[in-house]
């Protein structure tokens, strides 16, 4: 009888722990995520509206396209094409303690760039239309190792409104912003480098 009881308890505990933990979230994070996911499969052209960097810009004169390419319940993949350069993909992930933004940078052969997967994590509720992602520790260490310590103060922001999506980078003395027109979908570009159609 004791053996049967022990076996029953063991089986019950196994069943109880077999279910994955729920991925919890709050309404503003969910709404922001869903507002972007509503455009899944669509691509939009944008333009640089703020760039206070000195010297020539690698974005000047190039077609800028964001493509809300792949959407799951917990992750959005948004390639950002700069002319023929398909090296950049923004990845927004629900983490259970907020939202993460990562920049996946690849070479044309699909291999990882040395500067990849940098980004940040929300530290507050944000808003359904706006979220901020201050640089995380991995990113800070990457920037220091690459001799760009000024980037450890980076905060990335994304805005999503019915007519406009904005990607913005700010830090002390630096601002970069691209606005995309959501009222005029365009033909989606090919898969970004390292991904498959």
């Amino acid at each position: 009888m004791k053996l049967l009881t022990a076996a029953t308890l063991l089986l019950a505990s196994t069943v109880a722990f077999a279910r994955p933990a729920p991925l919890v979230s709050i309404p503003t994070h969910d709404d922001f995520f869903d507002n972007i996911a509503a455009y899944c499969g669509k691509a939009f052209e944008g333009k640089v509206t703020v760039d206070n960097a000195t010297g020539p810009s690698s974005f000047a004169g190039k077609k800028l396209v964001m493509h809300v390419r792949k959407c799951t319940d917990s992750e959005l993949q948004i390639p950002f094409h700069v002319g023929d350069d398909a090296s950049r993909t923004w990845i927004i992930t629900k983490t259970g303690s907020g939202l993460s933004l990562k920049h996946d940078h690849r070479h044309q052969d699909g291999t990882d760039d040395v500067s990849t997967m940098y980004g940040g994590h929300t530290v507050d509720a944000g808003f359904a239309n706006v979220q901020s992602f201050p640089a995380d520790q991995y990113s800070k260490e990457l920037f220091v190792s690459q001799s760009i310590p000024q980037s450890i103060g980076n905060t990335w922001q994304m805005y999503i409104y019915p007519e406009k999506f904005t990607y913005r980078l700010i830090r002390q003395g630096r601002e970069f912003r691209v606005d995309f027109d959501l009222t005029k979908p365009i033909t989606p570009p090919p898969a970004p480098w390292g991904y498959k159609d």
Side-chain angles (χ1 to χ4, degrees), residues 140 142-154 171:
K140 291 175 182 181
L142 178 68
F143 296 148
V144 169
S145 73
Q146 294 183 330
S147 302
I148 49 172
Q150 66 273 20
S151 295
I152 65 175
N154 282 4
R171 66 172 178 261

PDB file of all heavy atoms in Angstrom, residues 140 142-154 171:
ATOM      1  N   LYS A 140      26.337  46.497 -22.872  1.00  0.00           N
ATOM      2  CA  LYS A 140      27.352  47.397 -22.323  1.00  0.00           C
ATOM      3  C   LYS A 140      28.744  46.767 -22.414  1.00  0.00           C
ATOM      4  O   LYS A 140      29.713  47.427 -22.797  1.00  0.00           O
ATOM      5  CB  LYS A 140      27.012  47.745 -20.880  1.00  0.00           C
ATOM      6  CG  LYS A 140      25.775  48.617 -20.745  1.00  0.00           C
ATOM      7  CD  LYS A 140      25.411  48.847 -19.292  1.00  0.00           C
ATOM      8  CE  LYS A 140      24.141  49.675 -19.158  1.00  0.00           C
ATOM      9  NZ  LYS A 140      23.770  49.926 -17.747  1.00  0.00           N
ATOM     10  N   LEU A 142      29.679  44.421 -24.492  1.00  0.00           N
ATOM     11  CA  LEU A 142      30.031  44.336 -25.916  1.00  0.00           C
ATOM     12  C   LEU A 142      30.555  45.677 -26.411  1.00  0.00           C
ATOM     13  O   LEU A 142      31.581  45.737 -27.110  1.00  0.00           O
ATOM     14  CB  LEU A 142      28.793  43.921 -26.720  1.00  0.00           C
ATOM     15  CG  LEU A 142      28.952  43.828 -28.235  1.00  0.00           C
ATOM     16  CD1 LEU A 142      29.883  42.670 -28.605  1.00  0.00           C
ATOM     17  CD2 LEU A 142      27.598  43.662 -28.918  1.00  0.00           C
ATOM     18  N   PHE A 143      29.885  46.765 -26.050  1.00  0.00           N
ATOM     19  CA  PHE A 143      30.309  48.092 -26.512  1.00  0.00           C
ATOM     20  C   PHE A 143      31.696  48.449 -25.973  1.00  0.00           C
ATOM     21  O   PHE A 143      32.526  49.005 -26.693  1.00  0.00           O
ATOM     22  CB  PHE A 143      29.284  49.149 -26.088  1.00  0.00           C
ATOM     23  CG  PHE A 143      27.920  48.973 -26.710  1.00  0.00           C
ATOM     24  CD1 PHE A 143      26.777  49.351 -26.012  1.00  0.00           C
ATOM     25  CD2 PHE A 143      27.764  48.427 -27.971  1.00  0.00           C
ATOM     26  CE1 PHE A 143      25.512  49.197 -26.567  1.00  0.00           C
ATOM     27  CE2 PHE A 143      26.511  48.262 -28.542  1.00  0.00           C
ATOM     28  CZ  PHE A 143      25.383  48.639 -27.839  1.00  0.00           C
ATOM     29  N   VAL A 144      31.953  48.138 -24.720  1.00  0.00           N
ATOM     30  CA  VAL A 144      33.272  48.420 -24.141  1.00  0.00           C
ATOM     31  C   VAL A 144      34.342  47.605 -24.864  1.00  0.00           C
ATOM     32  O   VAL A 144      35.406  48.116 -25.219  1.00  0.00           O
ATOM     33  CB  VAL A 144      33.283  48.141 -22.625  1.00  0.00           C
ATOM     34  CG1 VAL A 144      34.711  48.181 -22.088  1.00  0.00           C
ATOM     35  CG2 VAL A 144      32.413  49.161 -21.890  1.00  0.00           C
ATOM     36  N   SER A 145      34.067  46.317 -25.133  1.00  0.00           N
ATOM     37  CA  SER A 145      35.055  45.462 -25.809  1.00  0.00           C
ATOM     38  C   SER A 145      35.314  45.919 -27.237  1.00  0.00           C
ATOM     39  O   SER A 145      36.380  45.643 -27.793  1.00  0.00           O
ATOM     40  CB  SER A 145      34.589  44.000 -25.797  1.00  0.00           C
ATOM     41  OG  SER A 145      33.511  43.799 -26.693  1.00  0.00           O
ATOM     42  N   GLN A 146      34.358  46.635 -27.823  1.00  0.00           N
ATOM     43  CA  GLN A 146      34.514  47.118 -29.201  1.00  0.00           C
ATOM     44  C   GLN A 146      34.991  48.569 -29.262  1.00  0.00           C
ATOM     45  O   GLN A 146      34.954  49.194 -30.327  1.00  0.00           O
ATOM     46  CB  GLN A 146      33.196  46.963 -29.958  1.00  0.00           C
ATOM     47  CG  GLN A 146      32.809  45.519 -30.157  1.00  0.00           C
ATOM     48  CD  GLN A 146      31.535  45.366 -30.964  1.00  0.00           C
ATOM     49  OE1 GLN A 146      30.657  46.206 -30.928  1.00  0.00           O
ATOM     50  NE2 GLN A 146      31.443  44.288 -31.707  1.00  0.00           N
ATOM     51  N   SER A 147      35.404  49.082 -28.117  1.00  0.00           N
ATOM     52  CA  SER A 147      35.945  50.446 -28.032  1.00  0.00           C
ATOM     53  C   SER A 147      34.936  51.520 -28.415  1.00  0.00           C
ATOM     54  O   SER A 147      35.289  52.545 -29.001  1.00  0.00           O
ATOM     55  CB  SER A 147      37.210  50.586 -28.897  1.00  0.00           C
ATOM     56  OG  SER A 147      38.182  49.647 -28.492  1.00  0.00           O
ATOM     57  N   ILE A 148      33.660  51.280 -28.077  1.00  0.00           N
ATOM     58  CA  ILE A 148      32.631  52.311 -28.255  1.00  0.00           C
ATOM     59  C   ILE A 148      31.866  52.485 -26.934  1.00  0.00           C
ATOM     60  O   ILE A 148      30.654  52.305 -26.874  1.00  0.00           O
ATOM     61  CB  ILE A 148      31.671  51.984 -29.426  1.00  0.00           C
ATOM     62  CG1 ILE A 148      31.134  50.541 -29.338  1.00  0.00           C
ATOM     63  CG2 ILE A 148      32.321  52.244 -30.766  1.00  0.00           C
ATOM     64  CD1 ILE A 148      30.030  50.229 -30.349  1.00  0.00           C
ATOM     65  N   PRO A 149      32.615  52.835 -25.863  1.00  0.00           N
ATOM     66  CA  PRO A 149      31.978  52.919 -24.551  1.00  0.00           C
ATOM     67  C   PRO A 149      30.884  53.969 -24.466  1.00  0.00           C
ATOM     68  O   PRO A 149      30.025  53.892 -23.585  1.00  0.00           O
ATOM     69  CB  PRO A 149      33.149  53.251 -23.609  1.00  0.00           C
ATOM     70  CG  PRO A 149      34.155  53.922 -24.485  1.00  0.00           C
ATOM     71  CD  PRO A 149      34.034  53.220 -25.810  1.00  0.00           C
ATOM     72  N   GLN A 150      30.893  54.951 -25.375  1.00  0.00           N
ATOM     73  CA  GLN A 150      29.822  55.948 -25.370  1.00  0.00           C
ATOM     74  C   GLN A 150      28.451  55.313 -25.578  1.00  0.00           C
ATOM     75  O   GLN A 150      27.428  55.855 -25.155  1.00  0.00           O
ATOM     76  CB  GLN A 150      30.072  57.024 -26.443  1.00  0.00           C
ATOM     77  CG  GLN A 150      30.017  56.538 -27.880  1.00  0.00           C
ATOM     78  CD  GLN A 150      31.338  55.988 -28.414  1.00  0.00           C
ATOM     79  OE1 GLN A 150      32.232  55.617 -27.633  1.00  0.00           O
ATOM     80  NE2 GLN A 150      31.480  55.939 -29.727  1.00  0.00           N
ATOM     81  N   SER A 151      28.416  54.121 -26.164  1.00  0.00           N
ATOM     82  CA  SER A 151      27.141  53.454 -26.447  1.00  0.00           C
ATOM     83  C   SER A 151      26.528  52.775 -25.224  1.00  0.00           C
ATOM     84  O   SER A 151      25.382  52.338 -25.292  1.00  0.00           O
ATOM     85  CB  SER A 151      27.329  52.421 -27.563  1.00  0.00           C
ATOM     86  OG  SER A 151      27.677  53.070 -28.772  1.00  0.00           O
ATOM     87  N   ILE A 152      27.267  52.692 -24.109  1.00  0.00           N
ATOM     88  CA  ILE A 152      26.686  52.024 -22.945  1.00  0.00           C
ATOM     89  C   ILE A 152      25.480  52.789 -22.403  1.00  0.00           C
ATOM     90  O   ILE A 152      24.656  52.234 -21.693  1.00  0.00           O
ATOM     91  CB  ILE A 152      27.711  51.765 -21.812  1.00  0.00           C
ATOM     92  CG1 ILE A 152      28.228  53.066 -21.214  1.00  0.00           C
ATOM     93  CG2 ILE A 152      28.832  50.876 -22.302  1.00  0.00           C
ATOM     94  CD1 ILE A 152      29.151  52.868 -20.023  1.00  0.00           C
ATOM     95  N   GLY A 153      25.365  54.058 -22.760  1.00  0.00           N
ATOM     96  CA  GLY A 153      24.206  54.857 -22.347  1.00  0.00           C
ATOM     97  C   GLY A 153      23.036  54.784 -23.311  1.00  0.00           C
ATOM     98  O   GLY A 153      22.047  55.508 -23.153  1.00  0.00           O
ATOM     99  N   ASN A 154      23.112  53.900 -24.303  1.00  0.00           N
ATOM    100  CA  ASN A 154      22.047  53.809 -25.305  1.00  0.00           C
ATOM    101  C   ASN A 154      20.698  53.427 -24.696  1.00  0.00           C
ATOM    102  O   ASN A 154      20.618  52.539 -23.836  1.00  0.00           O
ATOM    103  CB  ASN A 154      22.378  52.732 -26.361  1.00  0.00           C
ATOM    104  CG  ASN A 154      23.390  53.207 -27.384  1.00  0.00           C
ATOM    105  OD1 ASN A 154      23.924  54.295 -27.295  1.00  0.00           O
ATOM    106  ND2 ASN A 154      23.658  52.353 -28.367  1.00  0.00           N
ATOM    107  N   ARG A 171      21.068  58.754 -26.599  1.00  0.00           N
ATOM    108  CA  ARG A 171      22.013  58.724 -25.479  1.00  0.00           C
ATOM    109  C   ARG A 171      22.505  60.157 -25.357  1.00  0.00           C
ATOM    110  O   ARG A 171      22.162  61.019 -26.182  1.00  0.00           O
ATOM    111  CB  ARG A 171      23.159  57.746 -25.710  1.00  0.00           C
ATOM    112  CG  ARG A 171      24.098  58.104 -26.839  1.00  0.00           C
ATOM    113  CD  ARG A 171      25.322  57.187 -26.871  1.00  0.00           C
ATOM    114  NE  ARG A 171      26.196  57.484 -27.980  1.00  0.00           N
ATOM    115  CZ  ARG A 171      26.225  56.822 -29.126  1.00  0.00           C
ATOM    116  NH1 ARG A 171      25.403  55.798 -29.326  1.00  0.00           N
ATOM    117  NH2 ARG A 171      27.057  57.169 -30.089  1.00  0.00           N
TER     118      ARG A 171
END
